Amino acid sequence: MNVSHKSIAAATAAALLLLLAACGEQEGAADADASDAIAVKAGDSSCEVATTTAKAGKLTFEVTNEGSKVTEFYLYGEGDRIMGEVENISPGLTRRLIVDVRRAGTYQTACKPGMRGEGIRGDFEVTGQAGAQQDRGGHLAAATRSYKAYVDAEVEKLVPRTKEFAEAVKAGDVERAKSLFPVARTHWERIEPVAESFADLDPKIDGREDVLGEGMAFTGFHRLEKDLWVSGPRPDSARIAEQLVADVEELASRTRGIELTPVALANGAKELLDEVATGKITGEEDRYSHTDLWDFQANVDGSKAAIDALRPAILQRDARLPATLDTRFAELNRLLDKHRDGDGFRRYTDLSRQEVRELASAVDALGEPVSKVAEVVAS
Amino acid sequence: MAGLSRRRLLGLTGAGAALAGTGAAGGLAAKRWLLTEPGDQPQELTTTVPFEGAHQAGIVTPAQDHLHFVAFDVTTSDRGDLVELLREWTRAARRMTRGLETEGGGAVGGSPYAPPADTGEALGLPASALTLTIGFGPSLFDERFGLRERKPAALADLPPFPRDDLDPARCGGDLCVQACANDPQVAVHAVRNLARIGFGKVAVRWSQLGFGRTSSTSRAQQTPRNLFGFKDGTNNLKAEDTQALDEHVWVRPGDGPDWLVGGTYLVARRIRMHIETWDRTSLGEQEQLIGRAKGSGAPLGQAAEFDQVDLHVKGTDGEPMIPHNAHIRLASPDSLGGVRILRRGYNFTDGSDGLGHLDAGLFFICFNRDSREQFVPMQRALATGDPMMEYLEHTGSAIFACPPGVSHGGYWGEQLFG
């Protein structure tokens, strides 16, 4: 995957995963009424917020920069957690920040003239409780619990499978390492949107040589893939393998703490298919080993797991959508099954152009209804 | 873009005073992005072509400057799904040809959690004379949708022609949509949104972008030049020739199944031109190959472009001025028993071919009442005898039946499926 694209994707994923903690909602997300907007006058040494109390729910701040420096406006929660921000407000401009604050408490507003430092802070009291999202029958809560369990289970397998792979690399057992490479990756690829949300770990574990940022070393799965399939083991292959294990363990410890939301699940399901459509269909992800179909299947599995977890919630809100999703998942899996070979898959380069086209078409066909799920479960 | 501004300049002489006083015409192509008042827009961008009518738009509509042509495979085998898609497409097409989004507020007015219902790249652009024309390929009439009995005999796959070098990935298709507009972005937006709406029911089989219309379909239009630098389509059928259109283009009662009456057949051929070898050919030989003067477009032996082609004029050496195998002689109705077609092709360039040569040519589109009696004999004659074939390579081919126009409140294909 492309790192610059990835960093955006990761930011989005993080925003969605930690929905409440993330960058808030930008202009355009607005069902908030303009007349309820809280005016903020931002000067070079002042930050006047028209009111410092509000009821929980969607809050709209209308920030006018009356100063001479470019400014920013933030709403912070406990422990300086960013609830929402709007950056790059030029002198004379008014920009809007809409942020969903669901819990009562003391928050802080901040203007940052010159876009630096702690900013000019002020307390902001939120009272009451935003109406929790309607969750009749508790389907949404059940969905996030069930998918979190899936993520945990995949991480539980990712760590030992990666260790086995690393041991084979360190022992110089190229054939065994080659056979373990796609197996370990399966568990990574199934939870890729979650894994990718840790923007520092993702390029270390899964970065491709051509897309790494300046100054970043080529490490992780794809570096070892190149060693195994192209150059043969190199003097530092063992060290890279050890580093990979450490990075995957770090990932495992961090995923334990993540909070998921139904919208994050839905977007994760879509992102997994986007991964397939942009990285696997082209055969560029596993360019040395050509084990792309393993990743492909794992992405589809992960996407399906998220959709399956959401199924009762989707059914409750849109009776027809689950049937379409089922049909399209089944069709894609049927096509993938055609390319199975023993416990694994054919090399991607052995597929005919027509077979790749069939897969691409089925991914597009599935991606379309999956892209509707977020809105359905957000309603 | 140089071609674009020059073309606009030509178009304007005809368009009259629409732009009088708006300044140097040379900056027009750039200017169209800056003009914000609808009244300031060049006529051809603000033009709206009616979507409904007896015949589909985009056939005798004065040829617009840009094309995005797409062929689809239908991937569902459920007839109801297909009809539902055609209804959805029609709804979107009706709106887009009026310069609107596929749905009201579709690009930016929807839920923040959902992908927009319109992709948005045509926001703020006028209708640009967008037309969308649908066609049904022979393969649609197999057992999947119960259409076998309704297949017109004339909707037969084209026979192989001498020197064809067809790439299967650029041939055929169950459905096609021809999108033409005076702004390329508007045409691309239309096709992109139809493809998006169709995911899961249809899949794009192949598509082609075209620029610089290569024929005029109205007497109000100048004859454009093809990539060989020649005026092309001087003798084309024109929208004004209603009687000739009835005779050569529109399907009549008794020609075949009733659902296609008022419709027509579309033939698409991707013709790669070997530009570099052509460019090394002398002017005299180029003119002999075509049978016209490169500058004026006049038939050899005549003075002006629209002078009657006379195949019998002889030079001082006693040989015909228009050589025996010149392109215009072979394609002339006189040589083909009176056969005529309505041409509506576009230049294309798909970059270079990896060998340092332009991958460019003519995306030929023609409409005719029965391809077996019109396009096929014409192409056979050209493919066999035209020495210009040395510079050409047909790489894509398809035929489609275009149903008649959409009625008020109707949908594409209602005559076939209804």
Side-chain angles (χ1 to χ4, degrees):
Chain A
M1 204 183 167
N2 173 316
V3 160
S4 57
H5 168 58
K6 176 165 286 186
S7 56
I8 299 167
T12 319
L16 291 162
L17 286 167
L18 311 173
L19 188 62
L20 302 184
C23 344
E25 293 171 286
Q26 301 297 316
E27 294 105 314
D31 42 27
D33 187 345
S35 61
D36 293 338
I38 301 163
V40 178
K41 290 182 188 172
D44 287 347
S45 56
S46 63
C47 187
E48 289 174 39
V49 183
T51 173
T52 54
T53 59
K55 281 191 193 150
K58 258 184 196 160
L59 305 180
T60 304
F61 294 92
E62 205 156 72
V63 187
T64 305
N65 185 358
E66 298 184 341
S68 61
K69 297 176 183 163
V70 177
T71 195
E72 297 174 330
F73 178 80
Y74 285 77
L75 183 70
Y76 288 102
E78 240 172 78
D80 268 8
R81 201 164 59 130
I82 298 168
M83 307 295 296
E85 62 179 281
V86 50
E87 299 178 313
N88 268 314
I89 314 173
S90 302
L93 279 191
T94 298
R95 292 197 46 199
R96 186 174 269 206
L97 168 67
I98 300 169
V99 58
D100 199 0
V101 182
R102 308 194 76 80
R103 286 187 209 134
T106 303
Y107 294 78
Q108 281 202 315
T109 53
C111 299
K112 294 192 184 176
M115 310 212 292
R116 296 165 171 245
E118 292 292 295
I120 304 157
R121 301 278 187 126
D123 282 352
F124 191 88
E125 291 296 329
V126 173
T127 59
Q129 187 83 27
Q133 193 189 347
Q134 277 260 331
D135 189 11
R136 297 182 303 275
H139 295 319
L140 293 174
T144 51
R145 271 199 311 276
S146 134
Y147 189 70
K148 178 64 167 54
Y150 175 81
V151 171
D152 289 345
E154 288 303 316
V155 170
E156 295 282 309
K157 290 176 212 150
L158 172 65
V159 174
R161 293 292 96 81
T162 307
K163 279 184 179 161
E164 283 170 26
F165 168 63
E167 288 308 317
V169 171
K170 284 155 72 178
D173 189 343
V174 172
E175 283 318 303
R176 181 169 160 74
K178 279 181 167 181
S179 70
L180 293 173
F181 171 79
V183 177
R185 287 184 57 73
T186 292
H187 303 291
W188 163 268
E189 293 283 334
R190 281 185 183 154
I191 58 165
E192 204 167 11
V194 174
E196 271 181 13
S197 68
F198 303 106
D200 54 337
L201 288 176
D202 175 46
K204 286 194 200 166
I205 297 173
D206 196 36
R208 290 203 319 256
E209 187 172 19
D210 54 331
V211 294
L212 290 168
E214 213 172 306
M216 288 173 73
F218 180 32
T219 63
F221 279 119
H222 293 304
R223 161 62 206 275
L224 294 172
E225 180 194 8
K226 189 176 182 185
D227 291 1
L228 292 169
W229 269 273
V230 182
S231 62
R234 285 190 262 179
D236 64 345
S237 294
R239 188 179 61 72
I240 297 283
E242 271 171 26
Q243 180 64 45
L244 174 63
V245 170
D247 290 337
V248 166
E249 282 178 333
E250 169 70 15
L251 175 87
S253 83
R254 287 205 224 164
T255 53
R256 275 179 214 120
I258 58 165
E259 270 179 66
L260 294 163
T261 68
V263 168
L265 259 61
N267 281 300
K270 186 187 82 71
E271 282 162 25
L272 280 162
L273 293 176
D274 292 346
E275 282 280 316
V276 173
T278 53
K280 275 73 177 187
I281 280 292
T282 54
E284 64 190 89
E285 172 93 20
D286 298 328
R287 61 182 61 170
Y288 313 115
S289 63
H290 306 301
T291 54
D292 301 83
L293 281 177
W294 297 70
D295 292 6
F296 194 135
Q297 179 75 61
N299 284 164
V300 173
D301 289 346
S303 181
K304 187 157 189 309
I307 296 296
D308 284 347
L310 288 166
R311 202 171 194 287
I314 302 169
L315 196 58
Q316 193 176 45
R317 292 163 172 80
D318 182 340
R320 289 177 59 191
L321 189 52
T324 307
L325 291 164
D326 292 349
T327 312
R328 305 262 170 98
F329 268 116
E331 171 63 11
L332 184 53
N333 276 316
R334 187 186 66 77
L335 290 175
L336 281 166
D337 283 347
K338 289 194 345 195
H339 305 301
R340 285 191 182 276
D341 180 13
D343 291 341
F345 288 93
R346 295 162 69 196
R347 284 158 51 95
Y348 198 70
T349 37
D350 293 342
L351 268 60
S352 72
R353 199 174 155 70
Q354 179 58 27
E355 287 168 332
V356 171
R357 234 181 77 93
E358 278 177 3
L359 287 167
S361 177
V363 170
D364 283 341
L366 173 60
E368 193 268 337
V370 167
S371 75
K372 292 181 176 156
V373 173
E375 182 190 16
V376 168
V377 299
S379 67
Chain B
M1 286 306 276
L4 183 64
S5 51
R6 188 169 62 243
R7 186 174 305 284
R8 300 220 173 266
L9 199 57
L10 294 174
L12 275 173
T13 12
L19 264 152
T22 55
L28 203 55
K31 190 167 218 142
R32 70 200 178 112
W33 300 103
L34 303 175
L35 299 176
T36 49
E37 293 299 312
D40 288 350
Q41 302 253 1
Q43 175 96 41
E44 56 203 32
L45 290 183
T46 53
T47 298
T48 303
V49 180
F51 179 72
E52 291 163 356
H55 306 296
Q56 286 196 73
I59 299 169
V60 300
T61 306
Q64 301 93 322
D65 279 343
H66 295 275
L67 168 81
H68 192 178
F69 190 96
V70 59
F72 294 97
D73 289 326
V74 180
T75 52
T76 178
S77 49
D78 182 318
R79 180 181 166 119
D81 272 358
L82 175 57
V83 171
E84 177 62 26
L85 174 66
L86 290 168
R87 287 180 187 275
E88 277 185 63
W89 270 3
T90 308
R91 190 170 48 77
R94 255 197 192 94
R95 290 185 54 91
M96 291 192 288
T97 52
R98 285 160 59 203
L100 303 172
E101 296 158 85
T102 53
E103 280 181 26
V108 292
S111 160
Y113 296 110
D118 182 284
T119 54
E121 74 274 24
L123 270 184
L125 298 179
S128 307
L130 173 69
T131 55
L132 294 166
T133 313
I134 199 167
F136 303 131
S139 52
L140 188 71
F141 295 80
D142 58 13
E143 67 292 337
R144 287 173 295 169
F145 310 106
L147 296 174
R148 200 184 278 280
E149 300 302 310
R150 313 202 74 182
K151 182 178 180 178
L155 185 63
D157 283 317
L158 297 172
F161 295 103
R163 303 199 219 180
D164 268 4
D165 184 16
L166 301 179
D167 171 0
R170 296 185 192 277
C171 292
D174 291 330
L175 299 170
C176 76
V177 175
Q178 171 197 269
C180 298
N182 287 322
D183 186 323
Q185 185 130 336
V186 169
V188 168
H189 168 262
V191 166
R192 173 177 168 191
N193 278 273
L194 294 180
R196 193 178 51 87
I197 292 169
F199 279 141
K201 295 173 184 166
V202 294
V204 172
R205 183 177 174 85
W206 55 271
S207 71
Q208 183 69 53
L209 286 172
F211 65 91
R213 61 183 171 86
T214 57
S215 33
S216 53
T217 51
S218 163
R219 298 203 189 286
Q221 294 184 303
Q222 299 256 348
T223 312
R225 290 180 187 272
N226 61 24
L227 292 183
F228 283 161
F230 276 79
K231 291 200 172 209
D232 200 355
T234 300
N235 273 339
N236 200 18
L237 284 171
K238 302 287 199 290
E240 293 84 354
D241 306 330
T242 51
Q243 205 176 336
L245 293 174
D246 281 340
E247 189 181 335
H248 299 292
V249 175
W250 305 124
V251 171
R252 292 194 204 173
D255 283 355
D258 287 344
W259 69 265
L260 194 59
V261 171
T264 181
Y265 295 92
L266 181 160
V267 173
R269 304 276 294 179
R270 184 179 185 274
I271 307 175
R272 167 98 189 261
M273 291 174 161
H274 294 295
I275 303 284
E276 291 77 9
T277 49
W278 178 262
D279 291 348
R280 290 194 285 266
T281 303
S282 72
L283 177 61
E285 188 176 342
Q286 289 183 3
E287 293 186 334
Q288 294 279 307
L289 283 165
I290 302 279
R292 285 185 186 275
K294 197 169 187 177
S296 64
L300 296 180
Q302 309 293 336
E305 182 192 347
F306 287 97
D307 288 351
Q308 187 67 40
V309 177
D310 185 341
L311 299 173
H312 308 291
V313 176
K314 293 198 166 81
T316 48
D317 57 359
E319 288 297 310
M321 294 289 284
I322 297 174
H324 291 293
N325 55 5
H327 180 73
I328 67 164
R329 179 184 291 275
L330 294 173
S332 153
D334 294 346
S335 311
L336 292 165
V339 159
R340 303 183 72 187
I341 55 175
L342 175 71
R343 294 184 46 183
R344 213 174 189 286
Y346 286 83
N347 295 323
F348 73 84
T349 170
D350 291 342
S352 11
D353 64 359
L355 301 173
H357 299 144
L358 266 183
D359 183 1
L362 167 65
F363 188 69
F364 171 97
I365 296 174
C366 79
F367 295 94
N368 55 195
R369 189 174 145 202
D370 188 336
S371 304
R372 295 170 301 180
E373 293 171 14
Q374 294 169 264
F375 171 77
V376 170
M378 185 179 286
Q379 179 54 27
R380 191 168 277 140
L382 292 173
T384 313
D386 189 347
M388 207 168 72
M389 286 302 293
E390 200 178 308
Y391 303 92
L392 303 178
E393 192 179 348
H394 287 238
T395 57
S397 178
I399 181 168
F400 301 93
C402 300
V406 179
S407 65
H408 186 64
Y411 67 94
W412 268 336
E414 61 179 331
Q415 302 91 344
L416 175 58
F417 290 94

